[in-house]
């Protein structure tokens, strides 16, 4: 008999629905231990008179509700428009002024599955991805968590991917120092690192062009090295860099066709399931996932992912695309990160703030061989 897990004493659905609650508890019991969520979410199958900031209001057709949707979202609620279109399931979440449109399968239990994934602490757009990857009866599997990529939905409304995929890079990129200057890139390559990234804070200028050209030249002087340039794709393309690393916000601006045609590698950032699917649409050379742990090197749009989520992401992307773990990783936690099966870990302060950077690089690389 399938186990059940009593969720917190709270209203999961509006109107109250005992059958949905039982299904959500049954599914949740098979998803493992996750930190309890404190978000005040509630799934509303009928628009409530007074929605709260955690409500997710499910409608099959937004048209009759257009006069109210803007008001609901001003109150902090989200709206999920879900239904079957041309035989294909579609679900679009409108939340915080952002539209998250997905196409996939809507299982009979997708709504209780959504409740279960929300209870695991996932943000609504990522929980919705998982709900569309859920199949009725999955709770009877030994490992019920969705990890079959072929079941996952696709993100709608994205620009076309380049005609040719981006050039591949090694499946396991190993230690990946992310460095602030060309001097650092040159030094760390001399220390024996094979994969590095220049994340320069310089504004666009002749000095920046020179810095990127020096990094590319340094990479060519070291056999089998892989130098990625963060953000500055035009300069990297002109310099003939091995690859570039871009954030999701850069995808509509960058000339991805030109980068792919030049044989450059592309790494894309992601911060959860929805952004991971967005990144994979463009067939990048690798997908970075973070922040795994709290980090002070840059402002992060999401809470730290943690090792449990990282392990799930690794299983999902196995054989799909190389993955890079990033964010707050140092020598103390690197063994735990690699225990998830990820083949690459990006580090920043573990190298740049080390008392002996050369020794730090050697020690970190040693962890990959253990």
């Amino acid at each position: 008999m399938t186990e059940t897990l009593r969720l917190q004493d709270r209203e999961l659905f509006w109107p109250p629905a005992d059958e949905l609650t039982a299904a959500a508890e049954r599914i949740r019991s098979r998803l493992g231990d996750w930190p309890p969520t404190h978000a005040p979410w509630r799934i509303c199958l009928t628009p409530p008179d007074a929605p709260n900031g955690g409500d997710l209001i499910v409608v099959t057709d937004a048209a009759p509700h257009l006069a109210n949707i803007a008001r609901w979202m001003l109150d902090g609620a989200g709206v999920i428009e879900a239904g079957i279109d041309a035989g294909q399931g579609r679900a679009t979440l409108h939340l915080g002024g952002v539209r998250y449109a997905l196409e996939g399968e809507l299982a009979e239990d997708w709504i209780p599955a959504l409740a279960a994934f929300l209870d695991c602490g996932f943000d609504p757009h990522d929980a919705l991805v998982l709900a569309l990857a859920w199949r009725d009866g999955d709770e009877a599997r030994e490992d019920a968590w969705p990890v079959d990529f072929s079941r996952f939905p696709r993100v709608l409304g994205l620009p076309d991917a380049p005609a040719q995929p981006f050039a591949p890079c090694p499946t396991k990129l190993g230690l990946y120092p992310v460095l602030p200057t060309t001097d650092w890139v040159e030094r760390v390559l001399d220390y024996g690192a094979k994969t590095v990234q220049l994340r320069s804070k310089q504004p666009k200028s002749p000095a920046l062009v020179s810095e990127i050209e020096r990094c590319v030249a340094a990479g060519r002087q070291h056999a089998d090295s892989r130098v990625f340039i963060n953000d500055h794709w035009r300069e990297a393309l002109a310099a003939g860099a091995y690859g570039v690393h871009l954030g999701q916000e850069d995808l509509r601006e960058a000339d991805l066709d030109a980068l792919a045609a030049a044989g450059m590698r592309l790494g894309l950032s992601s911060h959860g399931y929805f952004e991971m699917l967005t990144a994979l649409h463009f067939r990048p050379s690798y997908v970075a996932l973070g922040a795994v742990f709290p980090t002070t090197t840059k402002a992060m749009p999401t809470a730290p992912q943690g090792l449990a989520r990282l392990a799930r992401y690794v299983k999902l992307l196995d054989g799909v695309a190389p993955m890079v773990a990033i964010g707050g990783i140092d020598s103390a936690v690197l063994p735990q990160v690699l225990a998830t099966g990820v083949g690459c870990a990006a580090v920043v302060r573990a190298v740049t703030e080390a008392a002996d950077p050369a020794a730090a690089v050697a020690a970190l690389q040693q962890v990959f061989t253990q």
Side-chain angles (χ1 to χ4, degrees), residues 14-339:
W14 175 259
D18 292 343
E19 185 176 344
L20 288 178
T21 298
E25 291 178 338
R26 186 177 67 248
I27 293 170
R28 176 67 185 86
S29 71
R30 303 294 295 154
L31 299 181
D33 294 329
W34 296 88
T37 178
H38 300 292
W41 59 265
R42 179 179 64 165
I43 299 175
C44 301
L45 305 180
T46 299
D49 292 334
N52 65 48
D55 281 346
L56 297 174
I57 303 169
V58 180
V59 300
T60 56
D61 182 3
H65 305 285
L66 290 178
N68 293 319
I69 286 176
R71 175 175 59 83
W72 294 340
M73 289 196 287
L74 282 175
D75 291 336
V79 177
I80 299 176
E81 185 179 4
I84 305 297
D85 183 12
Q88 185 68 48
R90 292 193 176 187
T92 300
L93 168 66
H94 305 268
L95 181 65
V98 181
R99 178 177 179 269
Y100 304 92
L102 296 164
E103 182 178 75
E105 184 168 327
L106 289 171
E108 184 176 341
D109 278 346
W110 79 269
I111 289 179
L114 173 63
F117 290 117
L118 286 167
D119 191 71
C120 292
F122 285 84
D123 289 337
H125 57 290
D126 289 328
L128 184 60
V129 168
L130 289 164
L132 266 67
W134 184 262
R135 299 293 181 269
D136 295 327
D138 274 358
E139 67 270 26
R141 297 161 59 97
E142 182 176 351
D143 182 1
W145 198 271
V147 291
D148 182 348
F149 186 75
S150 67
R151 292 185 173 190
F152 273 67
R154 69 184 187 94
V155 178
L156 300 176
L158 297 175
D160 290 339
Q164 66 183 79
F166 282 90
C169 58
T171 302
K172 295 183 180 294
L173 284 165
L175 180 68
Y176 190 172
V178 178
L179 305 163
T181 66
T182 301
D183 288 343
W184 268 110
V185 169
E186 292 172 339
R187 290 169 62 189
V188 172
L189 288 172
D190 286 342
Y191 297 155
K194 295 297 185 182
T195 306
V196 299
Q197 180 186 134
L198 172 69
R199 185 194 283 170
S200 175
K201 301 301 182 183
Q202 279 214 54
K204 294 184 183 296
S205 64
L208 174 66
V209 172
S210 176
E211 192 170 32
I212 290 173
E213 289 174 344
R214 281 178 56 196
C215 285
V216 173
R220 290 172 177 160
Q221 292 171 8
H222 292 79
D224 301 324
S225 67
R226 300 171 285 270
V227 177
F228 287 86
I229 306 300
N230 183 281
D231 193 22
H232 301 292
W233 61 270
R234 292 183 182 86
E235 293 81 1
L237 178 62
Y242 177 87
V244 295
H245 180 95
L246 300 177
Q248 301 254 325
E249 67 279 3
D250 303 312
L251 285 172
R252 294 182 184 274
E253 175 200 350
D255 189 341
L256 300 182
D257 286 292
L259 295 172
M264 293 180 66
R265 283 76 178 171
L266 174 69
L268 290 176
S269 295
S270 67
H271 306 91
Y273 281 106
F274 186 90
E275 289 194 356
M276 188 186 305
L277 294 180
T278 299
L280 289 170
H281 166 79
F282 296 97
R283 298 182 291 181
S285 308
Y286 72 76
V287 176
L289 196 290
V292 180
F293 302 105
T295 177
T296 60
T297 58
K298 62 183 297 188
M300 299 304 300
T302 57
Q305 298 287 327
L307 292 169
R309 292 192 186 194
L310 177 62
R312 290 299 182 184
Y313 299 144
V314 170
K315 283 190 176 182
L316 177 62
L317 291 193
D318 184 27
V320 177
M323 182 174 158
V324 176
I326 188 170
I329 300 172
D330 57 22
S331 59
V333 299
L334 181 58
Q336 302 169 59
V337 170
L338 298 184

